[in-house]
Every structure is written in C-alpha cells, then in structure tokens.
Amino acid sequence: MAHISFAQSLRISQVAAVIPMLSATVEGEDGHITPILLSEPGVGKTSVLKLLEQQLGDEYDYIYVDCPCKDLMDIAATIPNHADKSLEQYVGALFKMDSPRKKVILFDEVFKTPKILAPLYTRAMLERVIADRPLPLGSIVFGTSNNAGDGVGDFMQAHTGNRVCLVPVAKSNAKEWNIWAGENGISSILRGFVAMNPRVMASHLDGGQDDNPYIFHPNRKGQFLSPRSLAKCNRVVKNYRTLGADESSVLLKGIIGTAAAEQLAVFIDMEEQIHRTSDILAAPETISVPTDNSALAMVMFNAVDDLTTQDELSLFMKFINRVPQREMQSLFFTMLMSTKRTVRMANNNDTIKLWASDNFKIIV
C-alpha cells in the first residue's frame, strides 16, 4: 500500500456518525461502502465500535475481529456433508450468525491480515458475505489500519483499495483528550499533564515535530506517548504511592517512553503540594492560589471531578476569580462546559454566567 497523504481528516466522533450512512446495506441497493479508518498507532480508531454501540443500541450484534491474530478456523471451515456427498461452509461463532439481528463488524488492523484470510475478509467487506452466508440486511462493516508510511506492517492490494473508502482519522488534541479522560475516570494528574503539555498530543504528520521526543514517529523506535498509551498510565498513577517512585518510573517508561515519563513525574510529585477541593470550598477567598500553572491546572481538574452542587460551584468560582491569569480561568470554564456531568450545573449557575459574559473574548 502506497503512503497516503490527506489534507484533511475526520475526528473520531465524525467517523462514528458517518459509518452507518456509508456502510449499512439497504434493500434494493448495492451502493454500500466499507470505510477503512487510517491513522498512526494509538489514536483510538478501535473505540469507534463502542461509540457505534452507544449510538445504535441493541438492534445490532457488535463483532470485533482482530485480523492479524485470527486463524482460518476462527472464521470459517469447510465441512463434509455425508448425506449428499458435498462440502459446506460453516461460519465461526465469532460472527453470531445464529442471531437474527443485524451486525456491526469491525475488522481491526485489516491491512495486517495473513494472506490466507485476506479473501474471506475482503468478501465480507465488499459483498457482506461470511463464508457463503450473507449478513442480515442493514448490517454495517468497517475496518481500521495504520498509515503505510508509519512502517508498522500494513499492506493493501490496489484492487481492494479501489473498492473501499480510506478515511484518515485525526489524532485527538489536548482539549479533546481531556474531555474524554474526564468522562472515563482518568486521573487529574494525567489531565493536568496534557493541559500543560499539549505537545504530547501532536502528530508527526502535523509537521515541525521531528524534535518532539514524546510522540510516535516512524523514524524512531521504542515506546511513545499516544492517546491510548497515556490512558494506560492511569492505574500506575493512581497507585503511585503504593508502588513507590522507582517502581512507578520503570512502569511509566515502559508504557509511554522515557521522555514523557520523566515529564509526567513532575506532575505526580506536585500532587501533594496542591489544595484539595474541600479545602478550597472551606476558604475560597483566603486560601493561597498556586503560582505554578501546572499545579493550578490539577486543582481545576480535581474540582471538575469533585463539585456536585450549585453552592459548591459558586464557592469555587470565588477562588477561580482570584486567579490572575484569565487564560487559566478559561481552562476551568472550558472543562466545566465540556464535561457531561457538569455542563448542566454550569449552565444554570449565575456566577458562571457572569464570568462568561465578562470574558467571552478569551473563552476557548
């Protein structure tokens, strides 16, 4: 597969909205398209299957196929029918063909498929057939893989590529990752780290990133920070005190690489120095305001997790209004308005409304 360079790409949320429209089979039509999502490693393409399940509900069976790790007998087998002396195709249980429901099938890492399985997967993607058995009408099929230029083993034959839709998927930026992280139990330490170091969410395709020591680059080997690998640090960070500094350092380097782990350690060490939300609520107008923006960011992320009532939010805003940098104030506002749990509370809070009115020019 030749290197594909696109001037534009789609966000993960956009992809989840587009796939059903493109891919679902429709009675009397044969114009369905199979999207293949392409990106550098660790961007979150596989998570689209979960997004589709949340979007479409239990009308479908959701099927994940890890293409490089499957054997022929996982997919289908030719079995003798002794009654009429013929051969029949049996489909693997993976595809839930005994269920009458429509299917949503993700062929993950499809361009790393072993050659013996490529015809089966290709037929499923193009004809919506698994080993001679058609998928139920309305079924959706899509795939994922990495950019050929990333050098991680992806290959696509030209005639296959001509029959599918190659969709470049954008890497989450710092703001997008933090919104997702806040809704998925990710530590405020990691979220503060990303907010203060947005470069860790850059892509080597952005240009000007050859000296970025944190991220994936096809010319470098070893561990790197991606949206996926940073989320995997969560358990280590939450158990940092139990594990110990030395043990945690080794583990974090093994997940996101040395450069990112050493930078993250600064945020972990800072945790003991920051105010708890409860302490701020007890004295919002007199408690000290951290002078270090990294510590301040962690205070704000903790608050987004902790605040539960309008009164608490109003009290915390007294503290926020004492922060001298308006841009840092806007970070708290942005996270409040981007987090599902807090957006309604923020929308109905008079103190927040007043702040937004006074600072509409800097809201990001």
Side-chain angles (χ1 to χ4, degrees), residues 75-344:
I75 308 303
T78 303
I79 306 295
N81 183 328
H82 296 289
D84 61 7
K85 301 185 184 304
S86 64
L87 297 174
E88 295 181 2
Q89 286 276 347
Y90 276 58
V91 179
L94 170 67
F95 294 97
K96 304 178 183 178
M97 296 300 279
D98 58 332
S99 164
R101 289 191 290 192
K102 297 177 285 186
K103 317 298 178 189
V104 177
I105 303 177
L106 165 56
F107 289 104
D108 198 24
E109 303 290 1
V110 68
F111 294 149
K112 298 181 181 70
T113 295
K115 286 185 178 180
I116 193 172
L117 291 175
L120 286 170
Y121 293 157
T122 299
R123 191 176 183 201
M125 291 191 296
L126 302 185
E127 301 177 21
R128 302 296 192 265
V129 170
I130 307 288
D132 293 337
R133 291 187 62 182
L135 295 172
L137 189 67
S139 293
I140 295 167
V141 177
F142 70 106
T144 73
S145 222
N146 296 120
N147 301 317
D150 291 342
V152 290
D154 293 83
F155 174 78
M156 177 187 68
Q157 294 180 318
H159 69 278
T160 300
N162 193 237
R163 290 171 166 84
V164 298
C165 178
L166 302 178
V167 183
V169 177
K171 189 175 184 179
S172 298
N173 59 34
K175 178 181 175 182
E176 291 168 334
W177 190 87
N178 266 331
I179 292 171
W180 172 87
E183 295 173 351
N184 287 273
I186 301 298
S187 165
S188 61
I189 293 174
L190 293 173
R191 287 143 58 200
F193 170 66
V194 170
M196 292 296 101
N197 297 277
R199 197 180 183 207
V200 301
M201 289 295 161
S203 169
H204 74 94
L205 297 173
D206 294 339
Q209 299 297 327
D210 287 346
D211 63 342
N212 188 328
Y214 310 117
I215 64 174
F216 169 80
H217 196 288
N219 295 334
R220 288 197 295 264
K221 297 185 181 299
Q223 294 294 71
F224 56 90
L225 188 151
S226 69
R228 174 178 60 201
S229 65
L230 187 61
K232 289 184 178 296
C233 293
N234 197 45
R235 182 166 294 189
V236 177
V237 170
K238 287 187 172 182
N239 292 281
Y240 184 85
R241 304 303 169 194
T242 302
L243 290 166
D246 291 342
E247 292 85 348
S248 296
S249 177
V250 171
L251 296 174
L252 291 173
K253 288 176 182 178
I255 300 172
I256 55 174
T258 299
E262 290 179 347
Q263 187 72 11
L264 177 57
V266 175
F267 278 75
I268 296 173
D269 290 339
M270 195 180 298
E271 183 185 25
E272 292 184 344
Q273 306 170 28
I274 66 173
H275 303 309
R276 293 178 299 179
T277 305
S278 59
D279 294 335
I280 295 173
L281 295 178
E285 296 179 295
T286 57
I287 197 169
S288 62
V289 176
T291 56
D292 185 285
N293 282 345
S294 299
L296 188 55
M298 288 172 59
V299 167
M300 293 176 178
F301 282 114
N302 282 337
V304 171
D305 290 344
D306 296 339
L307 297 174
T308 59
T309 69
Q310 294 287 356
D311 289 343
E312 288 178 348
L313 179 54
S314 296
L315 283 172
F316 194 82
M317 280 303 297
K318 292 182 179 180
F319 170 80
I320 290 295
N321 285 329
R322 294 172 53 218
V323 174
Q325 306 97 329
R326 292 289 174 145
E327 291 77 12
M328 289 302 296
Q329 293 183 12
S330 74
L331 173 64
F332 178 67
F333 175 85
T334 299
M335 296 316 299
L336 273 179
M337 301 305 294
S338 302
T339 303
K340 291 178 182 178
R341 191 186 67 79
T342 58
V343 63
R344 180 176 295 180

Side-chain angles (χ1 to χ4, degrees), residues 23-58:
S23 184
T25 51
V26 178
E27 187 171 8
E29 296 183 13
D30 61 359
H32 58 262
I33 303 170
T34 300
I36 308 294
L37 314 182
L38 300 178
S39 77
E40 64 191 77
V43 167
K45 302 180 297 297
T46 306
S47 67
V48 172
L49 184 63
K50 183 177 180 180
L51 291 178
L52 288 172
E53 185 171 2
Q54 294 170 351
Q55 176 181 317
L56 300 174
D58 59 7

